């Protein structure tokens, strides 16, 4: 009995882990394998990137792996276009799906989800079009861009629905209730922990962190196969994984992918794994797996950062907050996006920069740029840190690490490419969405200008020009505060202001671009211990969740009416940017504390 009394929390978490592990095993064991009865060559015959949509939309809950909304990589006879959410072309149509939401791909309907083997309609020339040469009828190569995010439920691409292959409407209500319960529980938990009213009396406390994160990981893996995800994005990743596994070095020669090279290595491994017959039914789960693992790694990194100054209880709470955050859950486990993986890289780079490890920070930050163009947003923070160091050695380390990382990642894809192929890839991606806001809850959405052309005029200047002005002003203020401060941890605040400012005040922003702010706010709080940052932790988590939820479940897209949620969340993001500027101004003169642990009650500054 004394053992149980002294280790009751470990026992409770161990039992919870066994239960979540059992759910995960049960979920994966019940993945529907009926969609994989055909050979991989039949399913993936079209290496050019085509998709063959299943007939109809989701009706209730499908068995995991069945992908009732899903499109699987088609044959060469299928159209080579596909769709991404939040994009521009209002006349485009989901490839292989007629306007009424039924399959119209060559070879007929495929109720099993597998593509037909007829390749007679393939391009006899064998030539591939240039990247981006999509057509609106689904017959050409490249990517066609739908008019906005939301559900695919028939009726073309406009409005809130576009055809039959986007996000499933399943689990929307339970997810919303989970978000409410999460907020209540963690507000109470932070209140008691930060006032020293919560004490964990256990030996080997680090084990509790491992148990908690393992529980979160298992629960996410259990849920992933049952949630079909945002199918247009899932299908991109499936096709790119297949193409990368087929020829990694020739990926950009044989693909219309607009993603930078880094994540193609991850998709290459995924593509190789699913060539194993036993792994084929788990393709969608494997697509989501890297981001789910990244959630776990980011939570642990935040715990390690917090333990430098905080009590164990606070560090554990910070890790749990991120791991079970609904804004994090909806992105990877539900949507199937890769922002969690990107965020892990960004947070790691800023964490290293806070420790003045300029070489490693540069290498990791270079990886973020090589994964998503949004990584460029954080580069000024590295520049200001290096300038303030006043060390030639720091500059040489940064330059060497950046160049070496760039060459290692990019060179394997460069054979047969023009010298400027990477620059062309980035400029094409950056200029892809010429709108004031692309479903982002920001300043321009607040003004009612979602999907307004960025070339349109607002007070004598275009939205694009205003966006560039705000980017410059945000970056200059970050630099001023960086050079004003003597604390290396200003990097965390600088990175947070960069992403929050650019997202809220710039044009062409998507709903998911703010995602790294959820982790960066926690990282900034661990270093600065300012209670106002806690308000930002909950505030950014709220707006990120609301914005992602609205697009994933189809209530926000091109043509959506201006509503209270858009107004309130956009205004909140703007207010949080103003508050963040004030916080950064106040803290930029704060001296760097010694690396000693603070008691939990001292974690909140007055």
């Amino acid at each position: 009995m004394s053992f149980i009394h002294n280790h009751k929390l470990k026992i409770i978490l161990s039992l919870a882990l066994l239960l979540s592990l059992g759910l995960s095993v049960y979920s994966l064991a019940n993945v529907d394998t009926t969609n994989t009865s055909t050979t991989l060559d039949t399913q993936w015959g079209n290496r050019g990137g085509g998709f063959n949509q299943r007939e109809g939309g989701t009706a209730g809950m499908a068995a995991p792996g069945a992908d009732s909304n899903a499109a699987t990589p088609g044959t060469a006879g299928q159209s080579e276009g596909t769709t991404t959410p939040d994009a521009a072309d209002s006349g485009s149509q989901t490839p292989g799906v007629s306007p009424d939401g039924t399959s119209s791909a060559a070879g007929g309907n495929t109720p099993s989800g597998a593509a037909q083997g007829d390749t007679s309609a393939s391009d006899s020339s064998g030539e591939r079009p240039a990247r981006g040469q999509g057509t609106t009828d689904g017959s050409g190569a490249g990517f066609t861009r739908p008019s906005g995010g939301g559900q695919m439920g028939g009726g073309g691409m406009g409005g809130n629905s576009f055809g039959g292959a986007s996000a499933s409407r399943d689990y929307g209500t339970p997810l919303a209730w989970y978000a409410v319960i999460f907020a209540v529980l963690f507000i109470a938990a932070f209140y008691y922990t930060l006032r020293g009213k919560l004490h964990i009396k256990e030996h080997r406390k680090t084990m509790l962190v491992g148990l908690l994160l393992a529980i979160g990981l298992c629960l996410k893996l259990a849920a992933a196969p049952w949630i079909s995800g945002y199918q247009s994005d899932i299908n991109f990743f499936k096709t790119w994984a297949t193409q990368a596994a087929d020829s990694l070095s020739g990926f950009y020669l044989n693909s219309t992918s607009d993603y930078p090279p880094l994540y193609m290595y991850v998709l290459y491994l995924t593509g190789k794994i699913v060539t194993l017959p036993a792994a084929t039914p788990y393709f969608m789960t494997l697509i989501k797996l890297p981001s789910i693992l990244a959630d776990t790694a980011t939570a642990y990194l935040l715990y390690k950062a917090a333990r430098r100054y905080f009590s164990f209880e606070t560090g554990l709470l910070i890790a749990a907050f991120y791991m079970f955050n609904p804004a994090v859950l909806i992105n990877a486990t539900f949507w199937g996006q890769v922002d969690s993986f990107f965020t892990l890289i960004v947070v790691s780079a800023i964490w290293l920069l806070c420790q003045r490890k300029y070489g490693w920070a540069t290498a990791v930050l270079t990886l973020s740029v090589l994964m998503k163009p949004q990584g460029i947003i954080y580069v000024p923070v590295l520049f200001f840190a290096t300038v303030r160091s006043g060390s030639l050695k720091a500059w040489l380390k940064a330059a060497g690490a950046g160049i070496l990382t760039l060459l290692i990642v990019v060179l394997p894809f460069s054979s047969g490419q023009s010298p400027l192929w990477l620059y062309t890839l980035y400029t094409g991606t950056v200029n892809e969405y010429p709108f004031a806001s692309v479903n982002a809850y920001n300043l321009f959405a607040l003004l009612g200008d979602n999907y307004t052309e960025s070339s349109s005029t607002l007070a004598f200047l275009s939205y694009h020009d205003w966006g560039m002005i705000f980017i410059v002003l945000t970056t200059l203020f970050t630099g001023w505060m960086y050079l004003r401060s003597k604390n290396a941890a200003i990097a965390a605040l600088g990175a947070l202001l960069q992403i929050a400012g650019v997202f809220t005040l710039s044009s062409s922003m998507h709903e998911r671009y703010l995602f790294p702010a959820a982790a960066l706010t926690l990282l900034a709080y661990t270093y600065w211990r300012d209670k106002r940052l806690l308000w930002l932790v909950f505030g950014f988590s709220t707006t990120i969740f609301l914005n992602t939820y609205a697009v994933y479940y189809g209530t926000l897209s091109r043509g959506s009416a201006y509503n209270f949620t858009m107004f309130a969340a956009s205004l909140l993001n703007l207010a949080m940017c103003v508050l963040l500027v004030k916080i950064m101004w106040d803290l930029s003169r704060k001296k760097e504390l010694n690396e000693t642990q603070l008691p939990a009650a001292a974690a909140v500054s007055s």
Side-chain angles (χ1 to χ4, degrees):
M1 290 299 294
S2 61
F3 177 83
I4 295 176
H5 178 75
N6 293 331
H7 301 277
K8 57 185 176 182
L9 186 55
K10 282 194 185 76
I11 293 173
I12 292 172
L13 289 179
S14 297
L15 292 175
L17 176 58
L18 288 175
L19 178 60
S20 59
L21 183 60
L23 287 173
S24 180
V25 171
Y26 175 82
S27 176
L28 295 173
N30 283 274
V31 166
D32 185 359
T33 60
T34 59
N35 288 337
T36 58
S37 56
T38 56
T39 65
L40 292 178
D41 288 340
T42 301
Q43 289 181 320
W44 301 345
N46 180 9
R47 300 289 179 176
F51 301 120
N52 182 26
Q53 307 291 353
R54 291 195 61 192
E55 181 177 6
T58 298
M61 183 176 68
D67 288 354
S68 59
N69 274 355
T72 55
T75 67
Q78 310 300 335
S79 64
E80 292 186 353
T82 187
T83 63
T84 55
D86 315 324
D89 186 3
S90 61
S92 63
Q93 176 177 309
T94 305
V97 178
S98 64
D100 62 359
T102 59
S103 174
S104 60
N109 296 335
T110 57
S112 68
Q116 300 299 321
D118 183 11
T119 60
S120 60
S122 61
D123 183 3
S124 59
S125 68
E127 298 180 358
R128 289 194 56 76
R131 189 182 72 82
Q133 291 182 344
T135 64
T136 59
D137 59 1
S139 60
F143 294 121
T144 58
R145 304 290 179 182
S147 60
Q151 298 306 318
M152 293 199 174
M157 296 303 236
N160 291 342
S161 60
F162 42 94
S166 187
S168 165
R169 292 186 185 274
D170 292 336
Y171 313 110
T173 301
L175 179 60
W177 277 109
Y178 170 77
V180 172
I181 295 170
F182 172 89
V184 172
L185 289 178
F186 273 88
I187 287 174
F190 271 106
Y191 176 83
Y192 283 104
T193 301
L194 297 179
R195 277 156 181 78
K197 297 180 180 180
L198 179 63
H199 298 284
I200 297 176
K201 297 179 181 180
E202 294 270 1
H203 298 292
R204 299 179 62 188
K205 291 181 178 180
T206 307
M207 181 180 177
L208 297 178
V209 181
L211 288 172
L212 190 67
L213 296 183
I215 291 169
L217 176 62
C218 289
L219 289 176
K220 290 182 179 184
L221 288 177
W226 293 86
I227 303 168
S228 59
Y230 208 112
Q231 281 304 313
S232 53
D233 284 0
I234 292 290
N235 289 327
F236 270 129
F237 296 135
K238 284 183 177 180
T239 299
W240 294 343
T242 303
Q243 293 169 338
D246 187 49
S247 175
L248 183 63
S249 61
F251 177 80
Y252 288 101
L253 295 172
N254 302 312
S255 169
T256 51
S257 172
D258 56 357
Y259 257 48
L262 179 66
Y263 203 70
M264 297 309 133
Y265 289 100
V266 178
L267 293 178
Y268 167 80
L269 293 175
T270 302
K272 286 296 186 182
I273 291 172
V274 296
T275 59
L276 302 172
T280 304
Y282 304 98
F283 202 168
M284 183 179 66
T285 304
L286 288 169
I287 290 294
K288 295 179 179 182
L289 181 60
S291 288
I292 292 174
L293 292 174
D295 290 341
T296 310
T298 303
Y300 183 74
L301 179 60
L302 291 171
Y303 164 78
K304 292 293 290 183
R307 287 295 284 129
R308 297 179 66 182
Y309 299 111
F310 285 106
S311 66
F312 170 80
E313 289 81 0
T314 304
L316 181 67
L317 187 59
I318 286 173
F321 181 89
Y322 188 82
M323 188 65 187
F324 296 95
N325 193 331
V328 176
L329 178 68
I330 193 175
N331 189 285
T333 308
F334 276 70
W335 189 309
Q337 258 294 344
V338 297
D339 299 287
S340 292
F341 199 91
F342 173 72
T343 297
L344 172 61
I345 299 173
V346 170
V347 172
S348 299
I350 302 303
W351 178 68
L352 289 166
L353 205 53
C354 289
Q355 300 178 66
R356 295 187 175 91
K357 296 181 179 180
Y358 300 107
W360 284 108
T362 303
V364 178
L365 195 59
T366 302
L367 292 178
S368 75
V369 178
L370 290 172
M371 179 174 173
K372 279 178 173 286
Q374 292 81 23
I376 297 171
I377 293 172
Y378 307 95
V379 171
V381 179
L382 173 65
F383 173 77
F384 296 137
T386 312
V387 168
R388 199 192 61 176
S389 72
S391 168
L392 178 61
K393 184 178 180 180
W395 280 99
L396 293 176
K397 282 184 176 180
I403 294 172
L404 182 61
T405 303
L406 176 69
L407 293 176
I408 291 174
V409 174
V410 172
L411 282 181
F413 297 96
S414 299
S415 177
Q417 297 277 16
S418 68
L420 297 178
W421 74 271
L422 191 62
Y423 173 80
T424 303
L425 180 71
Y426 275 86
T427 54
T429 301
V430 170
N431 297 324
E432 201 162 28
Y433 304 111
F435 301 101
S437 174
V438 189
N439 292 331
Y441 286 160
N442 62 6
L443 172 63
F444 297 134
L446 180 65
L447 298 176
D449 293 315
N450 192 37
Y451 275 102
T452 298
E453 294 283 344
S454 60
S455 58
S456 301
T457 302
L458 174 68
F460 309 110
L461 293 175
S462 69
Y463 290 94
H464 177 267
D465 290 340
W466 280 116
M468 294 304 298
I469 289 172
F470 285 129
I471 288 175
V472 171
L473 291 176
T474 299
T475 304
L476 288 177
F477 182 81
T478 300
W480 182 19
M481 294 300 100
Y482 215 115
L483 298 177
R484 187 171 182 255
S485 174
K486 298 182 184 295
N487 191 337
I490 197 71
L493 285 173
L496 178 59
L497 181 62
Q498 283 296 112
I499 185 57
V502 171
F503 175 88
T504 305
L505 302 173
S506 183
S507 63
S508 304
M509 292 293 108
H510 284 252
E511 70 286 338
R512 292 179 293 100
Y513 285 4
L514 188 59
F515 183 84
L520 287 172
T521 314
L522 286 168
L523 183 67
Y525 176 67
T526 64
Y527 281 106
W528 292 97
R529 301 160 299 281
D530 189 295
K531 64 181 179 181
R532 293 172 295 179
L533 288 169
L534 272 185
W535 289 108
L536 294 184
V537 166
F538 281 94
F540 281 126
S541 295
T542 299
T543 58
I544 292 167
F545 175 77
L546 290 175
N547 208 166
T548 309
Y549 187 97
V551 175
Y552 182 78
Y553 285 104
T555 60
L556 175 62
S557 65
R558 187 175 188 178
S560 296
Y562 189 81
N563 55 47
F564 177 77
T565 302
M566 179 182 291
F567 167 78
S570 300
L571 184 61
L572 180 56
N573 275 333
L574 186 60
M576 287 191 293
C577 272
V578 174
L579 176 59
L580 183 56
V581 167
K582 178 64 167 61
I583 293 172
M584 200 167 179
W585 174 269
D586 293 342
L587 298 181
S588 61
R589 284 302 190 187
K590 187 175 181 180
K591 294 182 179 180
E592 192 164 5
L593 297 180
N594 294 327
E595 296 183 12
T596 56
Q597 175 181 312
L598 295 178
V604 181
S605 62
S606 58

